[in-house]
Amino acid sequence: MAAPLFPLARLWLALVLALAALLPPAALVAVPAAAQEAAPPTSIDYAAWEKLSAQAQDLLAQEKASDQALDSMRKQLADWRARFAEAQNINADQIQTVRDQIAALGPAPAEGQAEDPDIAKRRKALNDQLATLQAPGLKAVEARSLADGLIRQIDARIRARQATELMRLFPSPANPANWPAGWAVLVQGGKTLGAEIEQEWDNPERRATLRNNLPAIAFFLFVAAILVLRGPAFMERLTTRVLDGTSLKGHAVVAALVSLGQFVVPVIGTLSLVAAVQASGMTGPRTSALIRALPEAAFVFFAARWLASWLFRDGAATLLGKATEARFHTVMIGLVFALEFFRRAFITEVRPPLSMAAQAVWSAPLVVLVAVFLFRLGLILRQGRRERDDRAGGDLLASLRRGLSMAVIGVSVLAPLLALVGYVAAANALIWPTVASLALIGLIQLLQRFATDIYVLLSKREDAREALGPVLIAIVLVLASLPVFALIWGARTSDLSEAWTRFSEGVAIGETRLSPGVLVTLLVVFALGYLLTRLVQRTLRSAILPRTRLEKGVQNALVSGIGYVGIFLAALIAITTAGINLSSLAIVAGALSVGIGFGLQNIVQNFVAGIILLIERPISEGDMIEVNGQFGTVRGISVRSTWIETFDRTDVIIPNADFISGVVTNLTRTNTTARLIVPVGVAYGSDTRKVQQILMEIAEAQPLVMVDPAPAVHFVALGADSLNFEVRAIISDVNFKLAVQTEMLHQITERFRQEGIEIPFAQRDIWVRNADELTGRRAAAAPHAAAPSPEAAAAPVDPARISNDPDADGDEQ
């Protein structure tokens, strides 16, 4: 019965593979490189390969070939495939050189056209040389294709067998008729253990070994008793003491490290117990199998206790007040999982192999037992998640948590049903990987919490928990755990290596193949070029350009231009270094350029306008300008837009195209002087000469009004309500235009008041020419109307109520 059990050895292997997945491809090709040094591609024994490929085809033709034989053959084929992959690039440099030489001869003449004999002879020689150089690589490509096909067939055969085994129907363990078979296995196993111990005890050499090793056995047993019985409780108390010691900086990190002793210490004690048993020499095949399973079982049990103590701590998560119950069920799941290791070890050495009925009877009880604890834990998690999600408002992560809880509940219901019906292999393949996956998810959560604590400790900011760093750490942990999840759910290490091989090969786009190595090279070279460009920009901006006589805007233009050129060169060098053939992407680039031309037309227009502004310099930083009704001071000029600050301290971003196509008023481009015009009106009857003299004195008294040209006062109009004058002056700084105008108006008001000069306001007199006629018609229309009072007759007439229509009714005067 083949069902993935996730033993300790596979766990460590999975972790190693997960770490290897984070390494650059260059590190991962170290083994093939070593194999290449041992067997250079030029010395490939194709006769041996043909013999091996024939053996692989014969093995595949045998339907009863064992999985071990298929795995062994697959490893050999994978080694040969790696050699062929290296041999594909034989003579690559020489081939490229010959191709360049052929290209230098020019295109071959069309059919029927003659060619110079010397050139034709040289072309033929180069083509023959090219064919000779390409032959080993083409042969390696052919052999690699055959090896790859054979490997695919072996993988398909093994996967089909696994699927068949999972769907195998055993006798139902719920049928009492099958129980005697399971009881017979237990009885026979007990007898076998007793017989092994009795046989070893009857052996004088074994007894002598036991007597000689008694001191060592006693020491190992003492260490095992201390570490297993007292170690976990001591480490838990120590962890709590460190965790409660809030005065210690980074106490959470230290407590997490100390807490590892809760399962490391008892596992070491278990290894000491194993050493004591092995030192006694009283072990047979069945006893040795059980002893070998003891460290893995202890690791699973104590690791479950450790996870439960950290994931379901009191106060850390409410779980509707059921944290203690959640810890209990987690520990019990770990205990049942540990018993599964002993069950597997107990039936391993049974000869003859167990019957299907015995296998079903021995597997189903533990499946049902662990499902009970798993079901209750799923309910607790679901209730606790729902409470926290209601408080948080719900999000994608909350949905994933609810889905995980429902999946746990579903598996805990489905697996026992499958086992009781008779699909024991399917039940084992479902329930135990679920338990291991939950443990791995909890471990990822603890690792993310531990890494976040370290991140906060290093950054020295408590709000760093909400920063980007912890999120990236979580993503890396999830990605690194994917190979481990694959191994948990029955994937073989060869499946992971095959997936990595496919991933390393990349994707072919025309004549270019994008692989992880190419992408890493591309990113690294571009990053180096980008950093170098920024370094040059920073040096120019801070150390070189400030010592020149260039304007600030010209300096910014140079720095921006160097930045764009540097990024372009970095991208070009990165693409070339990675070996990407741009000619194969020319058509795609052309199509993209057309789309970009239409979709990014405005951006390109602003970009070109920005370059023109940076070159011609019609405006500079600090200029006071007016464009599109926006009036303010230029604060920055970029390639795409210009930033101005208005007088109400608001920032306005204006596209550069507006400066090229529109009208721009620059008040301070050449100088800061500006003309000030102050209109003044006085009442009719005022002495105009005196008014002009007063206004001139006030204008000349302003400190910012320039003497040359001198200010002037003009009598400009006889207005409808006033005599109009204008004070015209040139001020030295346009930034103080409003201040000068305000001061002048204050002084004008004060002087006019002192001199008795009136500043008029608009007045209107309304004359009704036919008042008598309108009044008589009103009286005729209403002869009995009361006469208006003297106050009403003397009241002013409201112009809005006067109508020119003689037939209109209303209060007409």
Side-chain angles (χ1 to χ4, degrees):
M1 179 175 54
L5 190 57
F6 193 64
L8 182 61
R10 295 183 65 185
L11 171 62
W12 287 112
L13 179 60
L15 293 177
V16 171
L17 291 175
L19 293 176
L22 301 177
L23 297 176
L28 295 177
V29 299
V31 174
Q36 180 181 358
E37 293 178 1
T42 54
S43 61
I44 292 180
D45 188 357
Y46 282 97
W49 159 245
E50 291 177 358
K51 181 179 179 180
L52 180 65
S53 62
Q55 294 176 358
Q57 293 174 5
D58 294 339
L59 186 63
L60 288 171
Q62 302 174 11
E63 293 295 336
K64 295 184 179 181
S66 64
D67 291 346
Q68 292 77 8
L70 292 175
D71 278 331
S72 177
M73 179 58 67
R74 190 193 185 285
K75 292 179 181 179
Q76 298 182 55
L77 293 175
D79 293 338
W80 279 96
R81 184 178 61 178
R83 296 183 188 179
F84 295 142
E86 294 293 332
Q88 289 179 4
N89 298 321
I90 293 177
N91 303 326
D93 296 335
Q94 296 91 328
I95 291 173
Q96 186 61 40
T97 302
V98 174
R99 286 178 175 174
D100 293 339
Q101 290 176 317
I102 295 175
L105 297 178
E111 185 177 357
Q113 296 182 358
E115 187 179 17
D116 184 85
D118 294 335
I119 297 178
K121 182 178 179 180
R122 180 57 178 168
R123 188 187 303 278
K124 183 178 182 304
L126 290 175
N127 286 327
D128 294 341
Q129 184 180 0
L130 179 62
T132 303
L133 293 173
Q134 289 178 335
L138 294 176
K139 190 173 183 179
V141 170
E142 180 185 0
R144 185 182 182 280
S145 299
L146 177 58
D148 191 67
L150 294 174
I151 289 175
R152 290 177 184 272
Q153 294 180 43
I154 292 176
D155 290 339
R157 176 73 60 82
I158 294 177
R159 283 194 294 267
R161 289 182 176 181
Q162 290 178 343
T164 303
E165 183 65 25
L166 288 178
M167 299 308 298
R168 186 179 180 185
L169 182 61
F170 288 75
S172 174
N175 187 357
N178 297 322
W179 296 352
W183 178 256
V185 172
L186 179 60
V187 173
Q188 183 62 34
K191 293 181 178 179
T192 302
L193 287 175
E196 287 181 357
I197 296 175
E198 182 179 357
Q199 181 181 359
E200 298 298 334
W201 179 259
D202 292 339
N203 190 339
E205 296 181 0
R206 298 292 188 179
R207 291 200 303 271
T209 302
L210 176 61
R211 287 193 298 270
N212 295 333
N213 294 337
L214 277 179
I217 294 173
F219 173 75
F220 285 138
L221 291 176
F222 175 78
V223 172
I226 294 297
L227 296 183
V228 174
L229 300 179
R230 298 293 183 181
F234 173 77
M235 297 305 300
E236 188 171 357
R237 290 195 300 270
L238 182 60
T239 302
T240 304
R241 184 177 303 176
V242 175
L243 195 60
D244 295 338
T246 55
S247 59
L248 179 62
K249 187 176 182 181
H251 63 281
V253 176
V254 177
L257 293 176
V258 173
S259 69
L260 296 177
Q262 295 180 21
F263 68 89
V264 173
V265 170
V267 169
I268 295 176
T270 305
L271 293 176
S272 179
L273 177 61
V274 172
V277 175
Q278 291 179 346
S280 67
M282 298 295 177
T283 57
R286 182 69 63 86
T287 309
S288 298
L290 293 176
I291 290 299
R292 286 195 301 267
L294 183 59
E296 294 181 345
F299 177 84
V300 169
F301 174 70
F302 290 108
R305 287 191 57 192
W306 174 73
L307 286 174
S309 64
W310 275 94
L311 292 176
F312 308 120
R313 293 168 49 205
D314 293 329
T318 60
L319 293 178
L320 296 177
K322 297 182 180 179
T324 303
E325 185 180 357
R327 288 198 299 270
F328 170 76
H329 289 293
T330 303
V331 173
M332 293 307 298
I333 290 173
L335 178 60
V336 178
F337 203 178
L339 293 177
E340 176 68 11
F341 281 89
F342 286 112
R343 185 192 70 82
R344 294 295 182 101
F346 185 76
I347 65 175
T348 299
E349 299 297 332
V350 175
R351 294 293 180 272
L354 295 182
S355 63
M356 296 180 64
Q359 294 182 36
V361 172
W362 270 82
S363 297
L366 292 181
V367 172
V368 174
L369 184 60
V370 75
V372 172
F373 295 113
L374 195 63
F375 179 80
R376 183 54 187 164
L377 181 62
L379 290 179
I380 296 175
L381 293 177
R382 182 172 178 268
Q383 295 171 355
R385 300 298 186 193
R386 183 172 56 192
E387 182 190 62
R388 290 197 296 274
D389 296 341
D390 291 341
R391 293 199 304 266
D395 53 5
L396 178 60
L397 185 58
S399 300
L400 294 177
R401 289 170 175 171
R402 287 194 296 268
L404 178 62
S405 302
M406 294 303 297
V408 170
I409 295 174
V411 168
S412 62
V413 173
L414 180 60
L417 293 178
L418 291 175
L420 294 177
V421 170
Y423 292 100
V424 178
N428 280 282
L430 183 62
I431 194 72
W432 301 117
T434 300
V435 173
S437 297
L438 285 177
L440 183 56
I441 292 173
L443 180 61
I444 293 173
Q445 183 177 352
L446 294 182
L447 290 177
Q448 195 271 341
R449 186 188 305 173
F450 177 71
T452 301
D453 291 337
I454 295 178
Y455 183 83
V456 172
L457 181 62
L458 296 178
S459 62
K460 299 179 181 179
R461 295 185 300 108
E462 186 61 29
D463 58 349
R465 295 183 182 275
E466 305 299 329
L468 180 62
V471 177
L472 296 179
I473 292 173
I475 294 175
V476 171
L477 289 175
V478 171
L479 293 178
S481 66
L482 293 181
V484 186
F485 278 112
L487 289 175
I488 288 175
W489 288 95
R492 299 173 295 133
T493 55
S494 58
D495 295 332
L496 297 181
S497 62
E498 185 68 16
W500 176 254
T501 300
R502 302 297 179 190
F503 179 72
S504 301
E505 292 176 354
V507 180
I509 303 178
E511 298 181 358
T512 302
R513 179 171 290 276
L514 297 180
S515 62
V518 172
L519 295 179
V520 169
T521 303
L522 179 67
L523 294 177
V524 170
V525 175
F526 178 77
L528 293 177
Y530 180 80
L531 294 176
L532 181 61
T533 300
R534 292 307 184 193
L535 178 62
V536 173
Q537 285 183 292
R538 189 179 300 111
T539 303
L540 290 174
R541 184 183 293 109
S542 60
I544 298 177
L545 293 180
R547 292 178 170 81
T548 63
R549 297 182 179 180
L550 298 176
E551 297 181 1
K552 184 67 174 178
V554 177
Q555 296 179 15
N556 293 335
L558 288 176
V559 172
S560 299
I562 291 176
Y564 286 105
V565 173
I567 292 175
F568 174 77
L569 292 178
L572 186 62
I573 295 174
I575 292 173
T576 304
T577 305
I580 299 177
N581 187 6
L582 296 180
S583 60
S584 60
L585 303 177
I587 298 177
V588 178
L592 290 177
S593 63
V594 174
I596 292 174
F598 285 103
L600 304 179
Q601 183 177 1
N602 292 333
I603 296 178
V604 174
Q605 182 181 7
N606 292 323
F607 184 84
V608 175
I611 295 177
I612 295 175
L613 289 179
L614 294 174
I615 294 176
E616 294 184 354
R617 311 303 302 165
I619 60 174
S620 302
E621 292 186 15
D623 289 353
M624 187 177 297
I625 65 172
E626 181 180 3
V627 56
N628 293 340
Q630 299 291 337
F631 191 83
T633 304
V634 178
R635 296 304 183 192
I637 303 175
S638 65
V639 177
R640 191 194 66 84
S641 60
T642 298
W643 162 40
I644 68 173
E645 182 182 359
T646 62
F647 291 113
D648 55 358
R649 301 300 180 184
T650 59
D651 297 334
V652 180
I653 308 299
I654 301 177
N656 288 331
D658 293 350
F659 291 91
I660 302 301
S661 59
V663 177
V664 181
T665 302
N666 195 330
L667 302 179
T668 59
R669 176 59 181 169
T670 56
N671 54 66
T672 59
T673 60
R675 186 175 70 168
L676 174 63
I677 300 178
V678 181
V680 180
V682 298
Y684 275 90
S686 301
D687 187 350
T688 56
R689 300 291 182 180
K690 186 176 181 180
V691 170
Q692 184 175 6
Q693 179 183 359
I694 293 173
L695 295 177
M696 180 62 73
E697 292 175 357
I698 293 174
E700 292 177 346
Q702 301 302 317
L704 291 180
V705 173
M706 299 183 64
V707 178
D708 185 18
V713 178
H714 301 280
F715 187 3
V716 295
L718 298 172
D721 303 307
S722 62
L723 304 173
N724 297 332
F725 292 81
E726 281 188 359
V727 180
R728 300 187 177 186
I730 303 298
I731 60 176
S732 58
D733 194 343
V734 68
N735 296 301
F736 297 94
K737 183 177 180 179
L738 292 178
V740 174
Q741 179 178 340
T742 301
E743 182 62 26
M744 290 181 66
L745 291 177
H746 280 302
Q747 295 183 14
I748 289 173
T749 303
E750 294 173 359
R751 287 290 303 276
F752 281 4
R753 185 185 304 112
Q754 295 173 3
E755 300 294 337
I757 301 174
E758 181 184 357
I759 300 176
F761 54 87
Q763 300 182 16
R764 294 291 182 268
D765 295 334
I766 300 177
W767 295 82
V768 181
R769 301 180 61 181
N770 54 347
D772 296 338
E773 181 181 356
L774 294 174
T775 303
R777 182 170 299 177
R778 177 185 177 92
H784 301 288
S789 64
E791 291 80 8
V797 179
D798 185 358
R801 302 182 63 183
I802 297 178
S803 174
N804 293 327
D805 187 0
D807 297 329
D809 295 333
D811 296 333
E812 297 175 347
Q813 297 291 335

